C-alpha cells in the first residue's frame, strides 16, 4: 500500500482546505492510504505552509518525497520568482502553488530545476484533482540516485587529467560563453547554513551553475563535471572533474575514482543518466546536458526529478529510439536537453545556432 501524509495548518485557508480534501479523495481512490502518524517509512508528505513564513518538514530519510503546498498572492509578474523561494525554504522536492486571482484560483507546479507549469483543469472539479494526481504520482514514486562511493585508486598518471579532461575544460568554457550555464537562484542566501547543507544531502541541489558535461575515457568509464562547481572553469581532478567508474545498484550509488590526496566533490545528480547511456551505447563518446531547448526535438513525457532512475530510463529510452543514438538530442520535459555525440566537438558543431534559451513548460 502506498502511503502519504498531510501536515501543516490549513485552518485559516478555505482554499487549502478544499484542495487538501479533494486531493485526499483522489489519492485514496487510486490506492493511496493517508497515515496520520507520519512514520519514518512514509513515501509522500504534503506540507501545507504559509508562503510568508514557510515551515519545513525534516525528513528522516532520502526516500521521502515532500511536496510543499502554499496559497499565493492575487497577482505576480513571475510565479517562479515569487514561489521558488518558498519551495526552497520549505525544503520541498516539489511545490504546488495556488495563486489567487480575480476569478478562480490558478494552480502551478514548481520543480527544483526551476520548472514552472500550470494545471489546465478548473480548480475544484473532478478533472482538476485527477490532473493534479496524475502529475504528482510519478514524481513522488521516483527513486533518487545521489549517493556516492569514493575510491582513492585513480592512477597517478591521471591526477592532472588527460586530453579528455582538457576537452571538458574547454567545452565548459564554451558553454559559459554561450550563456548556457544559467546560475540557479541563490539558494545559500535563502537558507541558513544548516538547512542548506541538509537540502544538498537530500537531493543534491546547489552550486554555481546548472548543466553538466561528460566524455568517455574507456569502456563505460567517463569523466564528468562534478556537482556544485562552476562548469565554466573546470580544472582540478577529483573536485571539478570526476572519473565515474561504476554504479552500485544495491545502494544505489555512483562509484568514483579519485586521487588519494583529494577531498572530493560529489558527482552530478545526472551521473546515473550518463552511466546508462554510455553503458548501452559504446558509440557515444560525449554527453552534454543544458537547461535550454531546440525546435523539433523528441521529449520525455514526464518531468521526473533530476537524479532519479526514472528520468535516466526515460532519457535512455528516447536515445534508444533515435535514428543514430550516438548523435541524439532528447528533450527533458519542463527541464532541458540531453545531447549525445561522438565527442564534445561533434555536439557543439550540431547545436551551433539552434539553441533556444527558454525551455517550454507544459
Amino acid at each position: 500500500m502506498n502511503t502519504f501524509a498531510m501536515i501543516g495548518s490549513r485552518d485559516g485557508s478555505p482554499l487549502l482546505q478544499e484542495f487538501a480534501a479533494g486531493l485526499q479523495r483522489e489519492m485514496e481512490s487510486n490506492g493511496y492510504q493517508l497515515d496520520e502518524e507520519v512514520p519514518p517509512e512514509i513515501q509522500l508528505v504534503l506540507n501545507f505552509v504559509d508562503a510568508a513564513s514557510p515551515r519545513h518538514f525534516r525528513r528522516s530519510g532520502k526516500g521521502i518525497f515532500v511536496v510543499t503546498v502554499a496559497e499565493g498572492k492575487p497577482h505576480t509578474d513571475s510565479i517562479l520568482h515569487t514561489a521558488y523561494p518558498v519551495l526552497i525554504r520549505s525544503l520541498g522536492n516539489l511545490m504546488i502553488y495556488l495563486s489567487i486571482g480575480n476569478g478562480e484560483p490558478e494552480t502551478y507546479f514548481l520543480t527544483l530545476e526551476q520548472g514552472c507549469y500550470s494545471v489546465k483543469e478548473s480548480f475544484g472539479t473532478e478533472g482538476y484533482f485527477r490532473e493534479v494526481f496524475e502529475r504528482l504520482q510519478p514524481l513522488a514514486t521516483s527513486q533518487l540516485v545521489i549517493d556516492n562511493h569514493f575510491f582513492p585508486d585513480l592512477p597517478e598518471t591521471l591526477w592532472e587529467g588527460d586530453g579528455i579532461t582538457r576537452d571538458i575544460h574547454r567545452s565548459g568554457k564554451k558553454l559559459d560563453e554561450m550563456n548556457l550555464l544559467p546560475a540557479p537562484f541563490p539558494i545559500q542566501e535563502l537558507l541558513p547554513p544548516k538547512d542548506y547543507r541538509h537540502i544538498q544531502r537530500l537531493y543534491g541541489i546547489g552550486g554555481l551553475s546548472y548543466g553538466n558535461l561528460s566524455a568517455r575515457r574507456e569502456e563505460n568509464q567517463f569523466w564528468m563535471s562534478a556537482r556544485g562547481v562552476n562548469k565554466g572553469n573546470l580544472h582540478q581532478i577529483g573536485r571539478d572533474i570526476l572519473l565515474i567508474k561504476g554504479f552500485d545498484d544495491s545502494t544505489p550509488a555512483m562509484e568514483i575514482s579519485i586521487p588519494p590526496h583529494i577531498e572530493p566533490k560529489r558527482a552530478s545528480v545526472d551521473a546515473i543518466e550518463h552511466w546508462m547511456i554510455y553503458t548501452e551505447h559504446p558509440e557515444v563518446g560525449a554527453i552534454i546536458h543544458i537547461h535550454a531547448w531546440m525546435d523539433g526535438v523528441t521529449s520525455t513525457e514526464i518531468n521526473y526529478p533530476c537524479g532519479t532512475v526514472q528520468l535516466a530510463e526515460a532519457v535512455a529510452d528516447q536515445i534508444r529510439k533515435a535514428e543514430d543514438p550516438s548523435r541524439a538530442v532528447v528533450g527533458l520535459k519542463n527541464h532541458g536537453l540531453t545531447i549525445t555525440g561522438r565527442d564534445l566537438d561533434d555536439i557543439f558543431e550540431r547545436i551551433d545556432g539552434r539553441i533556444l534559451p527558454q525551455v517550454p513548460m507544459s
Side-chain angles (χ1 to χ4, degrees):
M1 174 70 71
N2 292 320
T3 57
F4 72 101
M6 291 185 172
I7 65 170
S9 175
R10 305 180 289 281
D11 294 341
S13 171
L15 180 64
L16 292 183
Q17 291 174 8
E18 182 180 355
F19 178 85
L23 184 58
Q24 179 179 340
R25 289 194 302 270
E26 183 66 28
M27 294 187 71
E28 289 176 341
S29 71
N30 282 276
Y32 280 75
Q33 178 178 314
L34 181 67
D35 195 323
E36 303 283 0
E37 301 298 324
V38 196
E41 66 274 10
I42 195 81
Q43 296 168 294
L44 172 64
V45 173
L46 291 139
N47 180 23
F48 290 79
V49 304
D50 179 351
S53 56
R55 301 188 63 171
H56 64 261
F57 171 76
R58 188 168 287 275
R59 303 159 180 78
S60 56
K62 296 176 183 176
I64 300 174
F65 194 94
V66 177
V67 180
T68 298
V69 185
E71 180 179 330
K73 298 294 183 182
H75 175 74
T76 176
D77 292 332
S78 171
I79 291 291
L80 181 62
H81 282 76
T82 299
Y84 192 82
V86 181
L87 170 61
I88 295 304
R89 290 191 180 101
S90 62
L91 304 184
N93 298 85
L94 179 75
M95 183 173 187
I96 298 175
Y97 187 77
L98 305 173
S99 178
I100 310 166
N102 296 323
E104 67 180 38
E106 296 178 335
T107 304
Y108 296 87
F109 276 71
L110 281 80
T111 71
L112 287 169
E113 298 79 35
Q114 299 182 27
C116 180
Y117 52 95
S118 62
V119 174
K120 303 303 181 186
E121 294 285 341
S122 297
F123 179 85
T125 64
E126 182 179 341
Y128 169 86
F129 290 112
R130 184 183 308 116
E131 182 180 351
V132 171
F133 173 78
E134 288 174 350
R135 288 174 178 259
L136 178 63
Q137 191 266 345
L139 309 184
T141 55
S142 56
Q143 180 188 21
L144 282 167
V145 181
I146 60 172
D147 285 339
N148 294 173
H149 294 329
F150 293 102
F151 298 86
D153 60 357
L154 188 71
E156 187 173 357
T157 55
L158 295 177
W159 289 1
E160 300 298 323
D162 58 13
I164 299 171
T165 62
R166 288 186 283 277
D167 286 343
I168 288 177
H169 166 75
R170 178 173 49 81
S171 297
K173 289 180 70 67
K174 187 176 294 187
L175 287 176
D176 196 26
E177 292 165 359
M178 295 170 70
N179 200 29
L180 294 177
L181 297 172
F185 283 82
I187 297 168
Q188 64 274 24
E189 297 175 16
L190 298 173
L191 294 174
K194 184 178 180 181
D195 287 343
Y196 179 55
R197 291 192 297 270
H198 184 64
I199 204 172
Q200 285 184 305
R201 287 196 300 271
L202 281 169
Y203 35 73
I205 193 167
L208 299 175
S209 60
Y210 278 151
N212 51 69
L213 59 164
S214 70
R216 188 191 299 271
R217 182 175 177 268
E218 60 182 16
E219 298 180 347
N220 57 354
Q221 297 184 1
F222 57 96
W223 294 106
M224 186 174 187
S225 54
R227 181 193 311 175
V229 299
N230 183 357
K231 313 306 186 305
N233 190 29
L234 299 168
H235 284 287
Q236 190 173 18
I237 304 303
R239 290 189 61 80
D240 299 329
I241 303 174
L242 302 175
L243 181 65
I244 311 296
K245 72 170 188 173
F247 172 58
D248 177 1
D249 60 2
S250 65
T251 306
M254 303 309 302
E255 298 177 337
I256 305 163
S257 183
I258 61 170
H261 60 283
I262 290 290
E263 181 68 29
K265 286 280 191 179
R266 299 179 65 78
S268 166
V269 294
D270 295 313
I272 179 61
E273 177 186 314
H274 291 224
W275 170 262
M276 285 187 181
I277 295 169
Y278 285 123
T279 300
E280 182 175 351
H281 303 288
E283 67 275 26
V284 173
I287 302 169
I288 286 179
H289 168 62
I290 50 177
H291 288 207
W293 204 251
M294 291 169 63
D295 284 331
V297 300
T298 57
S299 175
T300 59
E301 292 297 319
I302 298 171
N303 63 309
Y304 290 113
C306 281
T308 58
V309 171
Q310 287 74 15
L311 176 60
E313 289 175 340
V315 174
D317 182 58
Q318 292 296 330
I319 289 174
R320 191 179 304 120
K321 295 174 182 176
E323 181 177 347
D324 181 358
S326 73
R327 308 185 83 207
V329 181
V330 173
L332 284 62
K333 186 173 183 177
N334 300 320
H335 185 152
L337 296 169
T338 292
I339 308 165
T340 64
R342 310 287 172 81
D343 53 35
L344 289 165
D345 286 339
D346 175 47
I347 293 175
F348 282 105
E349 288 171 6
R350 288 162 38 227
I351 68 174
D352 186 38
R354 298 182 60 198
I355 293 294
L356 305 174
Q358 184 64 48
V359 178
M361 297 293 161
S362 62

